[in-house]
Every structure is written in structure tokens, then in C-alpha cells.
């Protein structure tokens, strides 16, 4: 899957959030950025993950982190997800998978014996200089904030 690792320069990306606003890595210079990729808005695992990050949002802000969620869902789906769960961070609607592919998180998956291509739940912690500090591939959806804010 992803070939990116700690110490690599983060991919330069541009994505549009649930409200049509564009987000680029350059917008976050001087801040730490958590870019978390999730398979599908409003599914149980993705909801647990997003809500855990929401519930710890003040801790992230206090430590100079910005959060960006990314999935291949439409702007409408991302907007409903954000509103329903009162998520305080932007959700990128990456329907063309440009951000997903830049980070290398799209690929073969297996579920209930069936193989298909999809997003691998992966989180990238990027430092103030745009360098990846950590890649979390074994995401614990209900304790994800603790995995990041060690």
C-alpha cells in the first residue's frame, strides 16, 4: 500500500471540503496536520473514528494540530456526515481520488471473502515543515486520538 513513511516530504495536495472550500498543504505551513483517510462517511467505523477525533479536538488545537478528513464521498455526503456528528474539522470530498492516490491509500481490500479496491484507513501526521512524522496504518477507530496524541 502506501510507500510513504516517516521522514518523507508530504505530498503536495489540494482538495475541496464539504462546503466547496479548497484546502492545500501549503495552507497549513507552521502547523502540524493530521490527514486521516477513511473508507466511507457515516459507516460505523468511520463514525467512531471521526467522533473520537471530535471529542479530543481541543487537545489537538492545544498542541497546534489541524485535522483534515479525506474520503472519496461526495460533498453532500461529507456535509451530512459533518453536520450529523458536529465534526469541527473539514472533510475533503476526494471523488477523483487525487489526494487519496497522492498518499497511496487506495488499493485492494478484502471484506467477507470478497476482494475489491478501496481506501485503506490510514492517518498521516505531518509536521510544521511538511515532513511526515508518522504513518498510522493500524487505526483503532475508538482510540485514534490516543494513537496520535501520545
Amino acid at each position: 500500500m502506501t510507500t510513504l513513511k516517516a521522514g518523507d516530504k508530504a505530498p503536495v495536495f489540494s482538495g475541496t471540503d464539504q462546503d466547496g472550500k479548497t484546502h492545500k498543504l501549503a495552507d497549513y505551513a507552521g502547523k502540524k496536520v493530521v490527514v486521516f483517510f477513511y473508507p466511507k462517511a457515516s459507516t460505523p467505523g468511520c463514525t467512531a473514528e471521526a467522533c473520537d477525533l471530535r471529542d479530543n479536538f481541543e487537545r489537538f488545537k492545544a498542541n497546534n494540530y489541524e485535522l483534515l478528513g479525506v474520503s472519496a464521498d461526495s460533498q453532500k455526503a461529507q456535509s451530512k456526515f459533518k453536520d450529523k456528528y458536529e465534526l469541527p474539522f473539514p472533510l475533503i470530498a476526494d471523488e477523483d481520488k487525487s489526494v487519496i492516490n497522492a498518499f497511496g491509500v487506495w488499493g485492494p481490500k478484502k471484506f467477507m471473502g470478497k476482494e475489491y479496491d478501496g481506501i485503506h484507513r490510514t492517518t498521516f501526521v505531518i509536521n510544521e515543515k511538511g515532513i511526515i512524522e508518522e504513518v498510522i496504518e493500524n487505526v483503532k477507530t475508538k482510540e485514534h486520538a490516543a494513537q496520535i496524541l501520545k
Side-chain angles (χ1 to χ4, degrees), residues 102-116:
F103 280 85
V105 296
W106 183 265
K109 296 175 75 167
K110 216 179 220 174
F111 183 68
M112 293 175 61
K114 290 191 191 293
E115 282 200 33
Y116 62 97

Side-chain angles (χ1 to χ4, degrees), residues 102-144:
F103 280 85
V105 296
W106 183 265
K109 296 175 75 167
K110 216 179 220 174
F111 183 68
M112 293 175 61
K114 290 191 191 293
E115 282 200 33
Y116 62 97
D117 282 345
I119 297 172
H120 288 252
R121 187 184 309 278
T122 310
T123 297
F124 296 84
V125 181
I126 302 166
N127 72 15
E128 298 88 341
K129 294 183 173 83
I131 304 299
I132 297 170
E133 284 188 343
E134 186 176 12
V135 179
I136 303 170
E137 294 181 272
N138 185 17
V139 172
K140 294 181 172 85
T141 58
K142 293 183 175 136
E143 309 160 13
H144 197 35

Side-chain angles (χ1 to χ4, degrees), residues 3-20:
T3 55
L4 294 172
K5 57 192 179 313
D8 288 348
K9 193 158 181 37
V12 174
F13 67 86
S14 177
T16 306
D17 73 12
Q18 72 288 335
D19 298 323

Side-chain angles (χ1 to χ4, degrees), residues 51-101:
C51 289
D52 180 57
L53 295 174
R54 173 201 66 201
D55 294 346
N56 290 280
F57 189 65
E58 290 307 316
R59 288 177 58 211
F60 282 106
K61 293 302 268 184
N63 286 288
N64 198 34
Y65 282 99
E66 293 289 336
L67 276 69
L68 275 179
V70 184
S71 77
D73 292 299
S74 67
Q75 277 186 307
K76 184 177 177 188
Q78 296 289 47
S79 184
K80 284 168 80 171
F81 187 39
K82 183 176 171 45
D83 291 348
K84 182 174 182 179
Y85 295 101
E86 299 177 1
L87 304 175
F89 39 79
L91 301 176
I92 304 293
D94 193 25
E95 291 183 272
D96 69 358
K97 301 180 188 68
S98 60
V99 180
I100 291 162
N101 287 325

